[in-house]
Amino acid sequence: MSTKLFTNSSVMDLIDFDQKSLLVAAGSIAFNPIFWNVVARQEYHNKVLTKLFGGNSRYGCYFLAVVIFGIGIFRDFLYEQALRQQPSLDALQSDVVKLAAAALFFCGNVLVLTSMWALGFTGTYLGDYFGILMDHRVTSFPFNVTDAPMYYGSTLAFLGSALWFAKPAGLLLTVEVFVVYKIALMFEDPFTGAIYAKRERERAKKST
């Protein structure tokens, strides 16, 4: 795609909204957190996946993990394809920006990978909705840096990619990533908190 000078360009010049790949990538970014939240809540209330796997909640969790991982990879592929079909911005094509992009991508992936390590497999992939609860809340790195390292790390990785390819459209999609994750947290945090609060009440009843 052609490059653009910021001073001589409007928003419509910097982002090609006629490219279907942009809309597809935006749709995928919005779809993923909606999907796993809906499926996880259905599992919690109705045990849909647990029943599908003969009453084995761990198998249901493993299946959902594979699906979430798969659609995540596909979303990243759609994002990259969308960027390649978008105009580049001259102002972003510098060594300094490239260095910043690499640092953001690296830091983002550190947050994602270390949070997965700290939570474990089932902790990462919504095991608490399957009744697979952790013994205690994780407060070590990276959770001592942010309460949602996987989401914020993923956002940083998107931002790093947008800057690396010098694509204003990538910056717009990164804003979408940030917004949909913030909305997801508004639903997830209270619900997850309620799950663990219920467990503590049940433990308290047993101890009396």
Side-chain angles (χ1 to χ4, degrees):
M1 297 295 294
S2 60
T3 61
K4 301 289 184 179
L5 288 171
F6 181 76
T7 54
N8 298 325
S9 302
S10 66
V11 174
M12 298 302 293
D13 291 327
L14 297 174
I15 302 174
D16 186 355
F17 290 98
D18 291 331
Q19 290 290 342
K20 291 183 179 179
S21 58
L22 180 68
L23 298 178
V24 171
S28 177
I29 288 169
F31 170 79
N32 285 18
I34 294 172
F35 168 80
W36 68 61
N37 272 284
V38 170
V39 173
R41 291 203 182 203
Q42 280 297 312
E43 172 59 28
Y44 180 79
H45 291 298
N46 302 312
K47 303 299 180 185
V48 175
L49 293 177
T50 295
K51 291 176 182 177
L52 181 64
F53 286 91
N56 192 312
S57 59
R58 286 191 174 273
Y59 287 171
C61 183
Y62 297 157
F63 173 78
L64 180 59
V66 171
V67 174
I68 291 175
F69 183 80
I71 63 176
I73 294 296
F74 187 56
R75 175 205 59 190
D76 294 346
F77 169 77
L78 293 175
Y79 176 68
E80 182 181 349
Q81 291 300 303
L83 293 192
R84 292 185 182 280
Q85 297 178 26
Q86 289 292 318
S88 300
L89 181 62
D90 287 347
L92 297 178
Q93 296 183 357
S94 69
D95 292 339
V96 173
V97 173
K98 288 280 189 182
L99 183 61
L104 288 168
F105 190 82
F106 175 78
C107 291
N109 278 284
V110 167
L111 288 176
V112 171
L113 294 175
T114 54
S115 63
M116 293 177 68
W117 178 265
L119 291 173
F121 190 85
T122 56
T124 297
Y125 291 104
L126 305 171
D128 33 25
Y129 289 77
F130 290 81
I132 309 170
L133 305 185
M134 302 186 70
D135 294 333
H136 53 80
R137 182 178 181 180
V138 178
T139 57
S140 59
F141 183 84
F143 290 90
N144 58 356
V145 175
T146 172
D147 58 349
M150 192 168 298
Y151 283 174
Y152 293 127
S154 179
T155 302
L156 289 178
F158 271 85
L159 177 58
S161 297
L163 293 175
W164 182 268
F165 290 107
K167 305 290 186 175
L171 300 178
L172 179 64
L173 290 176
T174 299
V175 171
E176 183 195 3
V177 171
F178 178 78
V179 171
V180 297
Y181 279 162
K182 291 293 286 187
I183 294 173
L185 287 171
M186 291 171 59
F187 289 92
E188 292 173 14
D189 283 349
F191 198 83
T192 303
I195 292 175
Y196 282 91
K198 179 181 178 181
R199 182 184 68 175
E200 294 307 312
R201 290 195 298 269
E202 292 173 348
R203 284 180 173 178
K205 288 180 181 179
K206 291 180 180 179
S207 61
T208 58

